[in-house]
Amino acid sequence: HAELEGGAISAGKDSLISKGYNNILPTARFQYNFNRYKNLAINYSTSTNQPTIAQLQPIPDNSNPLYIKQGNPSLNQEFTHAIRFNVSFINPFKNRNFFAYINLQETQNKIVNNDKINNLGIDSVMPVNVNGVYNMSGTLSYGFPVHFLKGTVDLSSNLSYYMGKQLVNGDANRIKSASVGPEIRLDMDPTKKISLSFSAGLNFYSTTYSLQSVRSTRYFTQEYATEFSWQLPKGFFVATDFNYRINNQQAAGYNAKVPLWNASISKQVLHFNRGELKLSANDLLNQNIGITRSTNQNYIEDNSVKNLRRFFLLGFTYNLRKRITEDTRPGGVSVIRR
């Protein structure tokens, strides 16, 4: 049971808002273990989202004469059904694994805007409830060893699909957004003290509108990365990583290519190597910039944000637990020290 109370004052007129909601929110879980390393889990849950006071208040907001907002006292709360699938198959003997995470959602009485645009171009907006809103997202991953490279390969991809709805002058504007992002990653250990990895990914995005097809958009980004770490004698460690992001098919001035290079050197200190002194350098090329795109019911927005660029950081970390080291004695006997 939930209650919402509030008030609004406009031009000396008071408006009292009071709403009460009662719901039964079921949940369920099913899990099946094929064996110790293979399992399937299905989770079902429900949730609600109440309208805000601003969405319920009936007094028009005329602060912008070309964009008049008014609440809807008849709004119902949103009710969401969600199902999550988790699949995990692991073969520790062959170093192979497969993971899948899928989320499905349906929202009933979704609160969206109803835009009524007159001949003068004045937009009067009121929130309303609609059905037929769905959302799907997921991640797939498959990993396997590559013996001649002394490493492993991981193939993965993220997936998402959204189907929404908006009203324009009483007509339904159906919005469909989809994205897919395949990635390949190679992790190698040429020696016990050197680790090296490479990755490459592509993200494709598409948004279409049934009524305003001219606003439909498609674009993609590319991302390439590499990481390197080396354990030196006397407790020293050196690490570096490089990430290169390419933005395509966005607005002029936002198709940026962003190289980001970081590096660090650290030294283990104190008894049992409990302490670590680390000097790190971030964005050595001084090129860091954030480019994002968001698609909404009636607009597309590109953002360029100048992030914190090149800086250096000296840090100290202390581990409250003793580090575990292994000492191989003559005759093949290994002794674990804590």
Side-chain angles (χ1 to χ4, degrees):
H1 174 72
E3 290 190 8
L4 178 65
E5 293 185 358
I9 301 176
S10 178
K13 180 180 178 181
D14 294 349
S15 177
L16 180 63
I17 300 169
S18 179
K19 282 282 204 176
Y21 304 98
N22 292 288
N23 294 282
I24 296 177
L25 302 175
T27 62
R29 175 177 172 82
F30 170 81
Q31 180 169 329
Y32 183 78
N33 297 320
F34 300 94
N35 56 41
R36 183 179 177 183
Y37 304 107
K38 299 179 180 180
N39 62 76
L40 165 68
I42 303 175
N43 293 273
Y44 167 75
S45 62
T46 54
S47 61
T48 61
N49 181 41
Q50 286 75 30
T52 65
I53 293 293
Q55 291 173 328
L56 291 171
Q57 63 88 15
I59 302 173
D61 179 1
N62 298 311
S63 56
N64 184 348
L66 298 179
Y67 188 75
I68 301 173
K69 296 183 292 183
Q70 182 173 341
N72 181 0
S74 301
L75 275 182
N76 294 318
Q77 62 180 349
E78 299 177 348
F79 194 98
T80 300
H81 301 268
I83 299 179
R84 185 175 71 251
F85 298 87
N86 293 341
V87 178
S88 175
F89 293 162
I90 301 174
N91 188 332
F93 309 105
K94 296 184 178 180
N95 196 22
R96 296 177 181 269
N97 60 75
F98 173 78
F99 300 98
Y101 307 97
I102 306 294
N103 297 292
L104 304 174
Q105 287 187 350
E106 179 198 10
T107 302
Q108 300 171 346
N109 291 324
K110 178 70 175 179
I111 300 175
V112 302
N113 285 337
N114 181 14
D115 290 80
K116 294 182 178 180
I117 305 173
N118 62 20
N119 295 331
L120 299 177
I122 298 175
D123 188 0
S124 298
V125 183
M126 175 182 291
V128 295
N129 294 112
V130 298
N131 291 316
V133 176
Y134 303 92
N135 185 48
M136 185 276 289
S137 62
T139 301
L140 304 176
S141 175
Y142 174 61
F144 57 92
V146 182
H147 299 292
F148 72 93
L149 292 176
K150 295 184 179 180
T152 60
V153 171
D154 185 78
L155 304 175
S156 63
S157 181
N158 58 71
L159 310 164
S160 70
Y161 179 78
Y162 170 79
M163 184 165 64
K165 188 183 298 183
Q166 179 205 22
L167 299 181
V168 180
N169 291 334
D171 296 326
N173 183 24
R174 292 178 175 83
I175 306 164
K176 298 180 181 179
S177 297
S179 68
V180 59
E183 181 182 1
I184 181 171
R185 180 183 176 92
L186 170 63
D187 291 286
M188 297 186 298
D189 295 303
T191 69
K192 291 183 178 181
K193 297 184 178 182
I194 294 179
S195 295
L196 184 64
S197 70
F198 301 93
S199 64
L202 175 69
N203 290 281
F204 176 78
Y205 306 88
S206 172
T207 301
T208 60
Y209 302 87
S210 62
L211 292 183
Q212 303 157 314
S213 57
V214 68
R215 292 178 175 170
S216 299
T217 178
R218 293 179 176 86
Y219 69 99
F220 66 95
T221 61
Q222 305 171 58
E223 192 161 344
Y224 306 93
T226 182
E227 299 176 13
F228 173 81
S229 63
W230 186 12
Q231 180 181 351
L232 300 173
K234 298 183 179 180
F236 282 94
F237 291 84
V238 173
T240 184
D241 61 84
F242 181 77
N243 182 283
Y244 190 56
R245 181 182 176 91
I246 304 173
N247 299 279
N248 299 91
Q249 296 180 340
Q250 297 193 26
Y254 293 88
N255 293 312
K257 299 178 180 179
V258 184
L260 187 60
W261 181 23
N262 306 314
S264 67
I265 182 170
S266 60
K267 172 72 168 68
Q268 292 183 346
V269 296
L270 304 181
H271 196 43
F272 293 114
N273 292 326
R274 283 183 169 178
E276 182 186 63
L277 191 63
K278 184 176 183 179
L279 175 64
S280 58
N282 297 269
D283 189 18
L284 285 167
L285 302 178
N286 203 33
Q287 297 291 318
N288 192 15
I289 188 172
I291 302 292
T292 61
R293 165 170 285 192
S294 59
T295 56
N296 210 303
Q297 294 175 341
N298 55 3
Y299 67 87
I300 300 169
E301 183 179 61
D302 288 327
N303 284 294
S304 174
V305 180
K306 185 173 290 187
N307 298 324
L308 178 63
R309 293 196 171 183
R310 182 192 299 145
F311 68 95
F312 299 88
L313 180 66
L314 179 63
F316 175 75
T317 304
Y318 182 78
N319 195 335
L320 297 177
R321 296 185 299 176
K322 301 177 183 178
R323 297 181 184 269
I324 301 176
T325 59
E326 183 174 353
D327 180 19
T328 303
R329 300 293 177 83
V333 178
S334 295
V335 179
I336 303 296
R337 295 180 177 177
R338 296 182 182 273

